[in-house]
Amino acid sequence: MLTYRYDTQLLIEGENLDEDEINSYFRTHFDGDSLLAVGDETLIKIHFHTNRPWDVLEYCASLGEIYDIVVEDMDRQSRGLQG
């Protein structure tokens, strides 16, 4: 059994994006693991395992335009099904 079911990945395009602020927000507001939030002031790549990907998407959309969104169900994948 996985602790966090959904592998959530996306790009955020915006202005004055702060990688450190985004990392801090994730760590204090979201339950999950495997956080990767890297980039620069105009583009941030997010990778995060969580049970509530919709919360991640909502927050990221508040920072800028989100795209290349992938949410994979790792539980289904572990059972050999399409994720």
Side-chain angles (χ1 to χ4, degrees):
M1 185 76 178
L2 297 170
T3 303
Y4 301 107
R5 184 173 182 162
Y6 298 103
D7 177 9
T8 307
Q9 302 175 51
L10 62 118
L11 295 172
I12 309 167
E13 186 173 21
E15 296 179 13
N16 302 314
L17 297 173
D18 187 318
E19 181 180 303
D20 293 331
E21 274 184 29
I22 294 169
N23 270 289
S24 178
Y25 188 92
F26 266 78
R27 294 186 194 289
T28 59
H29 291 86
F30 299 132
D31 190 29
D33 66 10
S34 299
L35 174 61
L36 175 67
V38 296
D40 59 29
E41 295 175 349
T42 61
L43 186 66
I44 299 285
K45 165 73 175 180
I46 299 292
H47 173 270
F48 192 57
H49 296 170
T50 184
N51 290 324
R52 299 180 56 87
W54 45 88
D55 292 339
V56 170
L57 297 175
E58 182 177 34
Y59 167 67
C60 292
S62 76
L63 300 174
E65 185 176 353
I66 60 174
Y67 64 101
D68 285 349
I69 301 163
V70 176
V71 178
E72 295 180 321
D73 186 333
M74 297 184 297
D75 181 58
R76 285 183 53 87
Q77 289 175 339
S78 73
R79 293 183 281 135
L81 302 171
Q82 183 73 26

